[in-house]
PDB file of all heavy atoms in Angstrom:
ATOM      1  N   GLY A 275      25.750-237.726 -30.843  1.00 94.00           N
ATOM      2  CA  GLY A 275      25.586-236.340 -30.437  1.00 94.00           C
ATOM      3  C   GLY A 275      26.673-235.791 -29.544  1.00 94.00           C
ATOM      4  O   GLY A 275      26.614-234.628 -29.140  1.00 94.00           O
ATOM      5  N   ARG A 276      27.700-236.577 -29.247  1.00 94.00           N
ATOM      6  CA  ARG A 276      28.763-236.110 -28.350  1.00 94.00           C
ATOM      7  C   ARG A 276      29.740-235.171 -29.054  1.00 94.00           C
ATOM      8  O   ARG A 276      30.391-234.345 -28.435  1.00 94.00           O
ATOM      9  CB  ARG A 276      29.517-237.313 -27.773  1.00 94.00           C
ATOM     10  CG  ARG A 276      30.715-236.964 -26.888  1.00 94.00           C
ATOM     11  CD  ARG A 276      30.291-236.309 -25.585  1.00 94.00           C
ATOM     12  NE  ARG A 276      31.424-235.803 -24.841  1.00 94.00           N
ATOM     13  CZ  ARG A 276      32.105-236.493 -23.919  1.00 94.00           C
ATOM     14  NH1 ARG A 276      31.763-237.735 -23.648  1.00 94.00           N
ATOM     15  NH2 ARG A 276      33.113-235.929 -23.275  1.00 94.00           N
ATOM     16  N   ILE A 277      29.854-235.320 -30.378  1.00 97.00           N
ATOM     17  CA  ILE A 277      30.805-234.530 -31.156  1.00 97.00           C
ATOM     18  C   ILE A 277      30.074-233.808 -32.286  1.00 97.00           C
ATOM     19  O   ILE A 277      29.172-234.368 -32.905  1.00 97.00           O
ATOM     20  CB  ILE A 277      31.923-235.426 -31.722  1.00 97.00           C
ATOM     21  CG1 ILE A 277      32.759-236.015 -30.579  1.00 97.00           C
ATOM     22  CG2 ILE A 277      32.828-234.659 -32.686  1.00 97.00           C
ATOM     23  CD1 ILE A 277      33.772-237.040 -31.019  1.00 97.00           C
ATOM     24  N   ALA A 278      30.462-232.558 -32.529  1.00 98.00           N
ATOM     25  CA  ALA A 278      29.893-231.775 -33.626  1.00 98.00           C
ATOM     26  C   ALA A 278      30.974-231.406 -34.628  1.00 98.00           C
ATOM     27  O   ALA A 278      32.128-231.146 -34.251  1.00 98.00           O
ATOM     28  CB  ALA A 278      29.232-230.511 -33.096  1.00 98.00           C
ATOM     29  N   TYR A 279      30.602-231.428 -35.912  1.00 98.00           N
ATOM     30  CA  TYR A 279      31.477-230.960 -36.980  1.00 98.00           C
ATOM     31  C   TYR A 279      31.149-229.499 -37.298  1.00 98.00           C
ATOM     32  O   TYR A 279      29.982-229.104 -37.312  1.00 98.00           O
ATOM     33  CB  TYR A 279      31.238-231.738 -38.266  1.00 98.00           C
ATOM     34  CG  TYR A 279      31.490-233.220 -38.249  1.00 98.00           C
ATOM     35  CD1 TYR A 279      30.454-234.124 -38.021  1.00 98.00           C
ATOM     36  CD2 TYR A 279      32.758-233.732 -38.528  1.00 98.00           C
ATOM     37  CE1 TYR A 279      30.662-235.493 -38.062  1.00 98.00           C
ATOM     38  CE2 TYR A 279      32.976-235.111 -38.567  1.00 98.00           C
ATOM     39  CZ  TYR A 279      31.927-235.983 -38.334  1.00 98.00           C
ATOM     40  OH  TYR A 279      32.139-237.334 -38.385  1.00 98.00           O
ATOM     41  N   VAL A 280      32.176-228.713 -37.624  1.00 98.00           N
ATOM     42  CA  VAL A 280      31.994-227.327 -38.067  1.00 98.00           C
ATOM     43  C   VAL A 280      32.758-227.137 -39.368  1.00 98.00           C
ATOM     44  O   VAL A 280      33.949-227.467 -39.454  1.00 98.00           O
ATOM     45  CB  VAL A 280      32.518-226.312 -37.027  1.00 98.00           C
ATOM     46  CG1 VAL A 280      32.290-224.888 -37.518  1.00 98.00           C
ATOM     47  CG2 VAL A 280      31.841-226.517 -35.678  1.00 98.00           C
ATOM     48  N   VAL A 281      32.079-226.621 -40.394  1.00 98.00           N
ATOM     49  CA  VAL A 281      32.711-226.351 -41.685  1.00 98.00           C
ATOM     50  C   VAL A 281      33.248-224.921 -41.675  1.00 98.00           C
ATOM     51  O   VAL A 281      32.492-223.967 -41.499  1.00 98.00           O
ATOM     52  CB  VAL A 281      31.710-226.536 -42.835  1.00 98.00           C
ATOM     53  CG1 VAL A 281      32.364-226.210 -44.169  1.00 98.00           C
ATOM     54  CG2 VAL A 281      31.158-227.955 -42.840  1.00 98.00           C
ATOM     55  N   ASN A 282      34.555-224.777 -41.866  1.00 98.00           N
ATOM     56  CA  ASN A 282      35.211-223.469 -41.823  1.00 98.00           C
ATOM     57  C   ASN A 282      35.619-223.038 -43.231  1.00 98.00           C
ATOM     58  O   ASN A 282      36.638-223.493 -43.749  1.00 98.00           O
ATOM     59  CB  ASN A 282      36.457-223.534 -40.930  1.00 98.00           C
ATOM     60  CG  ASN A 282      36.158-224.068 -39.549  1.00 98.00           C
ATOM     61  OD1 ASN A 282      35.318-223.552 -38.837  1.00 98.00           O
ATOM     62  ND2 ASN A 282      36.863-225.131 -39.154  1.00 98.00           N
ATOM     63  N   SER A 283      34.818-222.166 -43.842  1.00 98.00           N
ATOM     64  CA  SER A 283      35.107-221.813 -45.236  1.00 98.00           C
ATOM     65  C   SER A 283      36.376-220.986 -45.374  1.00 98.00           C
ATOM     66  O   SER A 283      37.091-221.091 -46.365  1.00 98.00           O
ATOM     67  CB  SER A 283      33.916-221.071 -45.857  1.00 98.00           C
ATOM     68  OG  SER A 283      33.687-219.840 -45.206  1.00 98.00           O
ATOM     69  N   GLY A 284      36.693-220.159 -44.374  1.00 97.00           N
ATOM     70  CA  GLY A 284      37.903-219.348 -44.454  1.00 97.00           C
ATOM     71  C   GLY A 284      39.171-220.117 -44.179  1.00 97.00           C
ATOM     72  O   GLY A 284      40.265-219.696 -44.574  1.00 97.00           O
ATOM     73  N   SER A 285      39.054-221.255 -43.513  1.00 98.00           N
ATOM     74  CA  SER A 285      40.213-222.095 -43.206  1.00 98.00           C
ATOM     75  C   SER A 285      40.319-223.299 -44.130  1.00 98.00           C
ATOM     76  O   SER A 285      41.271-224.085 -44.019  1.00 98.00           O
ATOM     77  CB  SER A 285      40.123-222.614 -41.764  1.00 98.00           C
ATOM     78  OG  SER A 285      40.044-221.566 -40.838  1.00 98.00           O
ATOM     79  N   ASN A 286      39.332-223.492 -45.018  1.00 98.00           N
ATOM     80  CA  ASN A 286      39.291-224.662 -45.906  1.00 98.00           C
ATOM     81  C   ASN A 286      39.396-225.961 -45.092  1.00 98.00           C
ATOM     82  O   ASN A 286      40.172-226.862 -45.426  1.00 98.00           O
ATOM     83  CB  ASN A 286      40.412-224.607 -46.951  1.00 98.00           C
ATOM     84  CG  ASN A 286      40.319-223.379 -47.827  1.00 98.00           C
ATOM     85  OD1 ASN A 286      39.237-222.919 -48.158  1.00 98.00           O
ATOM     86  ND2 ASN A 286      41.458-222.828 -48.195  1.00 98.00           N
ATOM     87  N   SER A 287      38.579-226.031 -44.038  1.00 98.00           N
ATOM     88  CA  SER A 287      38.726-227.160 -43.131  1.00 98.00           C
ATOM     89  C   SER A 287      37.408-227.519 -42.459  1.00 98.00           C
ATOM     90  O   SER A 287      36.423-226.767 -42.530  1.00 98.00           O
ATOM     91  CB  SER A 287      39.760-226.832 -42.047  1.00 98.00           C
ATOM     92  OG  SER A 287      39.269-225.804 -41.184  1.00 98.00           O
ATOM     93  N   VAL A 288      37.424-228.671 -41.795  1.00 98.00           N
ATOM     94  CA  VAL A 288      36.351-229.080 -40.895  1.00 98.00           C
ATOM     95  C   VAL A 288      36.965-229.319 -39.528  1.00 98.00           C
ATOM     96  O   VAL A 288      37.969-230.032 -39.416  1.00 98.00           O
ATOM     97  CB  VAL A 288      35.649-230.358 -41.390  1.00 98.00           C
ATOM     98  CG1 VAL A 288      34.722-230.920 -40.308  1.00 98.00           C
ATOM     99  CG2 VAL A 288      34.857-230.081 -42.660  1.00 98.00           C
ATOM    100  N   SER A 289      36.392-228.705 -38.501  1.00 98.00           N
ATOM    101  CA  SER A 289      36.859-228.935 -37.142  1.00 98.00           C
ATOM    102  C   SER A 289      35.770-229.640 -36.346  1.00 98.00           C
ATOM    103  O   SER A 289      34.603-229.682 -36.755  1.00 98.00           O
ATOM    104  CB  SER A 289      37.271-227.628 -36.465  1.00 98.00           C
ATOM    105  OG  SER A 289      36.223-226.686 -36.494  1.00 98.00           O
ATOM    106  N   THR A 290      36.143-230.204 -35.212  1.00 98.00           N
ATOM    107  CA  THR A 290      35.193-230.896 -34.347  1.00 98.00           C
ATOM    108  C   THR A 290      35.314-230.356 -32.932  1.00 98.00           C
ATOM    109  O   THR A 290      36.383-229.897 -32.513  1.00 98.00           O
ATOM    110  CB  THR A 290      35.445-232.407 -34.324  1.00 98.00           C
ATOM    111  OG1 THR A 290      36.815-232.661 -34.002  1.00 98.00           O
ATOM    112  CG2 THR A 290      35.100-233.046 -35.655  1.00 98.00           C
ATOM    113  N   PHE A 291      34.187-230.418 -32.196  1.00 97.00           N
ATOM    114  CA  PHE A 291      34.250-230.068 -30.780  1.00 97.00           C
ATOM    115  C   PHE A 291      33.355-230.995 -29.977  1.00 97.00           C
ATOM    116  O   PHE A 291      32.409-231.593 -30.505  1.00 97.00           O
ATOM    117  CB  PHE A 291      33.891-228.598 -30.534  1.00 97.00           C
ATOM    118  CG  PHE A 291      32.465-228.214 -30.833  1.00 97.00           C
ATOM    119  CD1 PHE A 291      31.456-228.349 -29.878  1.00 97.00           C
ATOM    120  CD2 PHE A 291      32.119-227.679 -32.068  1.00 97.00           C
ATOM    121  CE1 PHE A 291      30.142-227.981 -30.143  1.00 97.00           C
ATOM    122  CE2 PHE A 291      30.807-227.303 -32.346  1.00 97.00           C
ATOM    123  CZ  PHE A 291      29.811-227.454 -31.377  1.00 97.00           C
ATOM    124  N   ASP A 292      33.684-231.141 -28.693  1.00 97.00           N
ATOM    125  CA  ASP A 292      32.934-231.974 -27.764  1.00 97.00           C
ATOM    126  C   ASP A 292      31.726-231.176 -27.285  1.00 97.00           C
ATOM    127  O   ASP A 292      31.878-230.070 -26.748  1.00 97.00           O
ATOM    128  CB  ASP A 292      33.834-232.359 -26.586  1.00 97.00           C
ATOM    129  CG  ASP A 292      33.194-233.376 -25.653  1.00 97.00           C
ATOM    130  OD1 ASP A 292      32.047-233.138 -25.213  1.00 97.00           O
ATOM    131  OD2 ASP A 292      33.836-234.386 -25.350  1.00 97.00           O
ATOM    132  N   THR A 293      30.526-231.699 -27.469  1.00 96.00           N
ATOM    133  CA  THR A 293      29.316-230.949 -27.133  1.00 96.00           C
ATOM    134  C   THR A 293      29.068-230.886 -25.629  1.00 96.00           C
ATOM    135  O   THR A 293      28.207-230.117 -25.190  1.00 96.00           O
ATOM    136  CB  THR A 293      28.083-231.553 -27.825  1.00 96.00           C
ATOM    137  OG1 THR A 293      27.938-232.928 -27.440  1.00 96.00           O
ATOM    138  CG2 THR A 293      28.220-231.469 -29.341  1.00 96.00           C
ATOM    139  N   ARG A 294      29.790-231.671 -24.835  1.00 95.00           N
ATOM    140  CA  ARG A 294      29.637-231.597 -23.382  1.00 95.00           C
ATOM    141  C   ARG A 294      30.610-230.608 -22.761  1.00 95.00           C
ATOM    142  O   ARG A 294      30.259-229.862 -21.847  1.00 95.00           O
ATOM    143  CB  ARG A 294      29.834-232.982 -22.756  1.00 95.00           C
ATOM    144  CG  ARG A 294      28.784-233.999 -23.165  1.00 95.00           C
ATOM    145  CD  ARG A 294      29.019-235.330 -22.469  1.00 95.00           C
ATOM    146  NE  ARG A 294      28.120-236.354 -22.985  1.00 95.00           N
ATOM    147  CZ  ARG A 294      28.137-237.618 -22.604  1.00 95.00           C
ATOM    148  NH1 ARG A 294      28.992-238.021 -21.674  1.00 95.00           N
ATOM    149  NH2 ARG A 294      27.304-238.497 -23.135  1.00 95.00           N
ATOM    150  N   THR A 295      31.840-230.614 -23.275  1.00 96.00           N
ATOM    151  CA  THR A 295      32.869-229.745 -22.699  1.00 96.00           C
ATOM    152  C   THR A 295      33.126-228.487 -23.519  1.00 96.00           C
ATOM    153  O   THR A 295      33.814-227.579 -23.053  1.00 96.00           O
ATOM    154  CB  THR A 295      34.196-230.515 -22.574  1.00 96.00           C
ATOM    155  OG1 THR A 295      34.672-230.829 -23.901  1.00 96.00           O
ATOM    156  CG2 THR A 295      34.000-231.800 -21.787  1.00 96.00           C
ATOM    157  N   ASN A 296      32.602-228.452 -24.755  1.00 96.00           N
ATOM    158  CA  ASN A 296      32.842-227.350 -25.702  1.00 96.00           C
ATOM    159  C   ASN A 296      34.320-227.235 -26.096  1.00 96.00           C
ATOM    160  O   ASN A 296      34.763-226.190 -26.585  1.00 96.00           O
ATOM    161  CB  ASN A 296      32.353-226.009 -25.134  1.00 96.00           C
ATOM    162  CG  ASN A 296      30.855-225.988 -24.936  1.00 96.00           C
ATOM    163  OD1 ASN A 296      30.117-226.624 -25.671  1.00 96.00           O
ATOM    164  ND2 ASN A 296      30.395-225.248 -23.933  1.00 96.00           N
ATOM    165  N   LYS A 297      35.071-228.306 -25.916  1.00 97.00           N
ATOM    166  CA  LYS A 297      36.479-228.313 -26.280  1.00 97.00           C
ATOM    167  C   LYS A 297      36.651-228.722 -27.738  1.00 97.00           C
ATOM    168  O   LYS A 297      36.060-229.707 -28.190  1.00 97.00           O
ATOM    169  CB  LYS A 297      37.241-229.295 -25.381  1.00 97.00           C
ATOM    170  CG  LYS A 297      38.720-229.429 -25.729  1.00 97.00           C
ATOM    171  CD  LYS A 297      39.392-230.485 -24.867  1.00 97.00           C
ATOM    172  CE  LYS A 297      40.854-230.670 -25.264  1.00 97.00           C
ATOM    173  NZ  LYS A 297      41.520-231.719 -24.433  1.00 97.00           N
ATOM    174  N   VAL A 298      37.481-227.964 -28.477  1.00 97.00           N
ATOM    175  CA  VAL A 298      37.797-228.325 -29.860  1.00 97.00           C
ATOM    176  C   VAL A 298      38.693-229.550 -29.851  1.00 97.00           C
ATOM    177  O   VAL A 298      39.703-229.601 -29.130  1.00 97.00           O
ATOM    178  CB  VAL A 298      38.474-227.152 -30.588  1.00 97.00           C
ATOM    179  CG1 VAL A 298      38.942-227.582 -31.976  1.00 97.00           C
ATOM    180  CG2 VAL A 298      37.508-225.974 -30.713  1.00 97.00           C
ATOM    181  N   LEU A 299      38.339-230.552 -30.660  1.00 97.00           N
ATOM    182  CA  LEU A 299      39.031-231.837 -30.649  1.00 97.00           C
ATOM    183  C   LEU A 299      40.006-232.020 -31.798  1.00 97.00           C
ATOM    184  O   LEU A 299      41.005-232.721 -31.665  1.00 97.00           O
ATOM    185  CB  LEU A 299      38.007-232.972 -30.677  1.00 97.00           C
ATOM    186  CG  LEU A 299      37.000-232.996 -29.518  1.00 97.00           C
ATOM    187  CD1 LEU A 299      35.971-234.101 -29.740  1.00 97.00           C
ATOM    188  CD2 LEU A 299      37.711-233.183 -28.189  1.00 97.00           C
ATOM    189  N   GLY A 300      39.711-231.434 -32.956  1.00 96.00           N
ATOM    190  CA  GLY A 300      40.595-231.631 -34.090  1.00 96.00           C
ATOM    191  C   GLY A 300      40.143-230.839 -35.298  1.00 96.00           C
ATOM    192  O   GLY A 300      39.103-230.178 -35.285  1.00 96.00           O
ATOM    193  N   GLU A 301      40.949-230.913 -36.348  1.00 97.00           N
ATOM    194  CA  GLU A 301      40.656-230.187 -37.592  1.00 97.00           C
ATOM    195  C   GLU A 301      41.311-230.920 -38.746  1.00 97.00           C
ATOM    196  O   GLU A 301      42.382-231.515 -38.588  1.00 97.00           O
ATOM    197  CB  GLU A 301      41.183-228.749 -37.492  1.00 97.00           C
ATOM    198  CG  GLU A 301      40.806-227.861 -38.658  1.00 97.00           C
ATOM    199  CD  GLU A 301      41.223-226.412 -38.436  1.00 97.00           C
ATOM    200  OE1 GLU A 301      41.960-226.160 -37.460  1.00 97.00           O
ATOM    201  OE2 GLU A 301      40.825-225.544 -39.228  1.00 97.00           O
ATOM    202  N   VAL A 302      40.650-230.906 -39.915  1.00 98.00           N
ATOM    203  CA  VAL A 302      41.208-231.557 -41.089  1.00 98.00           C
ATOM    204  C   VAL A 302      40.965-230.674 -42.312  1.00 98.00           C
ATOM    205  O   VAL A 302      39.901-230.059 -42.439  1.00 98.00           O
ATOM    206  CB  VAL A 302      40.574-232.956 -41.289  1.00 98.00           C
ATOM    207  CG1 VAL A 302      39.101-232.867 -41.641  1.00 98.00           C
ATOM    208  CG2 VAL A 302      41.318-233.756 -42.359  1.00 98.00           C
TER     209      VAL A 302
END
Side-chain angles (χ1 to χ4, degrees):
R276 176 68 188 269
I277 295 173
Y279 299 95
V280 181
V281 178
N282 306 304
S283 64
S285 302
N286 300 325
S287 68
V288 169
S289 55
T290 53
F291 66 87
D292 187 308
T293 58
R294 296 182 187 177
T295 66
N296 295 329
K297 177 184 177 181
V298 174
L299 301 175
E301 186 174 10
V302 67

